Amino acid sequence: MKITVIGESNIDIAVKPHAEANAKGCVPGNIAFHHGGVARNIAHNLCLLNHEVMLVSVFGNDDFANRMISDCEQIGMDLSLSDQFEDVKSPIFLSFNDDNGNMVSAVSDVRLNDRMDLGWLKDKMEAINTSDIVVADTLLSTEALSYLIDHCEAPLYIDTVSPGKAVRFAEAMKISKKQAVFALKCNMAEAEQITGESKTIEASKKLNDNGVNNVYLTIGSRGVIYCSDGVATTFPALPTAIVNVTGSGDAFFAGVIHANAIGHFGKDAVLFGLKAAQHNIKNEAPVNPTLRVSMFI
């Protein structure tokens, strides 16, 4: 299928100290550089699953950006609707993680993402609407996200990214005329920001009530809650040895989108997502490059 993914591309710098995090002074550890960003990671996974993928993003003007652009094109992404700005550097996300890749703390320098505003999106909407499926993250401005909700003609899938950015989705839905999206993937902290509910089942049902047809609420090692038409079902995570959890949520959502693209919906799609996440956490990078369609057969 032709799938358009809209949102952030950034440089991930992941730090995993060998010593305890509270040790004083300089401690030994692993420092890894990866091409990341929720939208870019989802697009990468979908390319590995043999879809025709267009990434609509923004890139800076530095060696990081040039390498990331080259990598995206080699993977098979169409970047014709993406923009490279000469006056800014690439977004950088620096995370300090534990042994399993769980984030302990982080610092982000992502000012370039402010360019993904309403004016930037409007000019691309006609081309975006040639897609079979559209995916977006909440690095778009509130106004741009609301415009996308109202004007997207294909099924729209949204990833809320973080609790702080999830607020943009809530605000975008309030000012939207349509006030409806096909699917939303979020974790509990993000769901609480949107709904005000502190319990998983209630939060997922409220998201349905607020216009989300299909809710995929990830709950870490406990798995995923899928909710549609106010009926919530919990699916346990698939057991596997954990190398790194970074990017597993992106892989999960890509698995769900892939399932929908080939005709598997609702609860059936959750298993595709869980298998993709299970495969992803076996790898150090945010995207496991060995993901293949055959893994879902």
Side-chain angles (χ1 to χ4, degrees), residues 44-45 48 279-280 283 285 287-292:
H44 189 166
N45 281 296
L48 294 172
H279 185 70
N280 201 77
N283 184 63
V287 175
N288 190 330
T290 63
L291 180 68
R292 296 292 184 271

Side-chain angles (χ1 to χ4, degrees), residues 4 22 59 77 179 186 276 281:
T4 295
N22 61 359
F59 297 94
M77 296 181 206
Q179 295 186 331
C186 59
I281 62 178

Side-chain angles (χ1 to χ4, degrees), residues 68-88:
M68 185 156 49
I69 289 170
S70 177
D71 183 54
C72 288
E73 290 175 340
Q74 289 179 15
I75 291 165
M77 296 181 206
D78 178 353
L79 299 182
S80 59
L81 290 184
S82 291
D83 293 295
Q84 186 172 16
F85 293 91
E86 297 295 323
D87 58 336
V88 285

Side-chain angles (χ1 to χ4, degrees), residues 188 191-192 195-205 217 225:
M188 189 54 216
E192 186 170 1
T195 65
E197 293 286 348
S198 59
K199 296 181 179 179
T200 55
I201 300 298
E202 286 77 2
S204 61
K205 290 181 178 180
L217 176 56
I225 294 172

Side-chain angles (χ1 to χ4, degrees), residues 135-163:
V135 188
D137 67 27
T138 50
L139 275 298
L140 278 71
S141 72
T142 298
E143 294 75 17
L145 196 56
S146 179
Y147 183 87
L148 181 64
I149 292 168
D150 285 342
H151 293 86
C152 184
E153 296 174 4
L156 178 59
Y157 297 68
I158 304 251
D159 190 306
T160 50
V161 178
S162 69

Side-chain angles (χ1 to χ4, degrees), residues 4 15 36 41 79 82 90 95 102 146 149 166 220 243 255 272 293:
T4 295
V15 180
N41 289 348
L79 299 182
S82 291
S90 296
S95 63
N102 291 298
S146 179
I149 292 168
V243 175
F272 279 72
V293 171

Side-chain angles (χ1 to χ4, degrees), residues 23-84:
K24 295 181 179 180
C26 182
V27 298
N30 296 326
I31 301 176
F33 290 74
H34 299 291
H35 296 151
V38 168
R40 197 219 65 88
N41 289 348
I42 292 172
H44 189 166
N45 281 296
L46 290 170
C47 281
L48 294 172
L49 294 172
N50 297 334
H51 294 283
E52 180 184 347
V53 180
M54 176 181 289
L55 176 64
V56 185
S57 190
V58 291
F59 297 94
N61 180 31
D62 50 33
D63 287 341
F64 283 141
N66 293 331
R67 290 177 184 177
M68 185 156 49
I69 289 170
S70 177
D71 183 54
C72 288
E73 290 175 340
Q74 289 179 15
I75 291 165
M77 296 181 206
D78 178 353
L79 299 182
S80 59
L81 290 184
S82 291
D83 293 295
Q84 186 172 16

Side-chain angles (χ1 to χ4, degrees), residues 233-266:
T233 306
T234 302
F235 296 80
L238 301 179
T240 192
I242 298 173
V243 175
N244 177 32
V245 300
T246 302
S248 58
D250 306 333
F252 169 81
F253 207 25
V256 168
I257 295 163
H258 169 67
N260 290 177
I262 63 173
H264 297 275
F265 293 92

